[in-house]
Amino acid sequence: MMWRALSADWLKIRGKGLWFLVFLGPLGLVAMQGLNFGLRYDYLREQYSADLWGGLLNNVAAFVPIALFLGGTLVCSLIANVEHQMSSWKQLLALPISRTSVFMAKLVLCLVLVAVSCLLLSVGTVGLGLVLGFKVELIPYLDVLRIGFMSYIAALPVIALQLWLSLANRNQTLPVALGITLSLVSIFSMLLSEWVPLTWPYMAWESSHRLLFSGAGLLLGLLILLPGALHFARKDVD
């Protein structure tokens, strides 16, 4: 039943700007670093002469957490707003599909869209490095994948919370405002304790215990999803 709901959701997001958002985030990050390296090419090439790819990845990684939090917030809000704007919750939930299946379909759609964005970031980063003249044989493929996906897994608690709030509230002011606030706070994640979940996407890249932070993000994300699904299953809808 979940797959039936998911296929319907794929059709609903057409023309809603979600795919534009999925491409905008990673392309924006890559373009920003392209401008950064383009304006300071000689200086940065000398600074990272020992590991040009590592230098590029570190510069990109610094902005990945805010992109994940903000992008996840907007994706969740737009997905939920499809039903809110059309006032179609009652019709949707009257179908012979469980509320849990509806919730899980929205979750899978959100996670897939953010995952596509992370994949585009990895591909775009490699493309930028090649344009800058970095050697193709030195591409650190594992690090290229890790820059998006390890941080993505560590950001799951915030994404799960945003989906819960977006589905539960017809007015998207609260979830969007919270998401923007968390995104801005994440800029200062280096100053926060590593126990604060906002630091986990950055620590999943920077820390020597990166698997620990990604695993913690996955676990906490699942713990947040459970009450979120239960609340959605029992909540009255408009």
Side-chain angles (χ1 to χ4, degrees):
M1 289 191 295
M2 186 197 76
W3 300 112
R4 186 184 304 173
L6 181 60
S7 62
D9 284 337
W10 277 112
L11 296 176
K12 291 177 183 178
I13 65 173
R14 289 182 178 178
K16 300 298 182 181
L18 273 162
W19 284 110
F20 173 75
L21 180 63
V22 166
F23 280 83
L24 178 63
L27 292 181
L29 280 182
V30 171
M32 182 173 64
Q33 290 307 317
L35 183 62
N36 178 35
F37 274 78
L39 294 175
R40 304 190 297 161
Y41 183 76
D42 293 332
Y43 169 75
L44 292 176
R45 193 174 179 90
E46 180 180 353
Q47 183 178 4
Y48 300 125
S49 58
D51 185 6
L52 291 173
W53 283 105
L56 174 60
L57 291 174
N58 282 328
N59 276 270
V60 173
F63 297 93
V64 168
I66 186 174
L68 280 171
F69 292 145
L70 186 58
T73 294
L74 296 177
V75 167
C76 291
S77 179
L78 287 172
I79 289 175
N81 219 31
V82 171
E83 310 295 349
H84 291 314
Q85 285 186 337
M86 297 172 61
S87 299
S88 58
W89 280 117
K90 286 187 177 180
Q91 297 93 315
L92 175 61
L93 298 178
L95 298 174
I97 301 176
S98 69
R99 289 191 174 206
T100 302
S101 296
V102 172
F103 182 88
M104 293 304 296
K106 305 290 186 188
L107 171 65
V108 171
L109 179 59
C110 175
L111 294 180
V112 168
L113 291 175
V114 178
V116 170
S117 194
C118 290
L119 180 60
L120 290 173
L121 175 62
S122 295
V123 173
T125 301
V126 171
L128 175 60
L130 295 177
V131 169
L132 292 172
F134 299 173
K135 294 182 178 180
V136 65
E137 61 269 19
L138 297 180
I139 296 176
Y141 291 103
L142 289 179
D143 286 342
V144 167
L145 291 175
R146 185 164 61 86
I147 194 173
F149 289 99
M150 293 290 282
S151 297
Y152 171 38
I153 296 172
L156 286 178
V158 171
I159 295 175
L161 178 62
Q162 286 299 320
L163 181 65
W164 179 3
L165 294 176
S166 297
L167 293 178
N169 293 276
R170 184 181 183 88
N171 188 333
Q172 295 295 293
T173 302
L174 172 62
V176 172
L178 177 62
I180 293 174
T181 301
L182 294 178
S183 301
L184 294 176
V185 173
S186 71
I187 298 175
F188 308 99
S189 59
M190 292 80 75
L191 305 177
L192 302 175
S193 168
E194 63 184 23
W195 294 101
V196 179
L198 289 180
T199 68
W200 294 353
Y202 182 74
M203 298 301 290
W205 166 258
E206 183 67 21
S207 173
S208 58
H209 304 290
R210 55 184 69 99
L211 288 177
L212 175 63
F213 291 101
S214 292
L218 178 60
L219 179 60
L220 183 57
L222 292 174
L223 291 176
I224 293 174
L225 283 174
L226 181 59
L230 291 174
H231 178 254
F232 180 79
R234 297 177 180 178
K235 184 180 183 296
D236 292 332
V237 295
D238 299 325

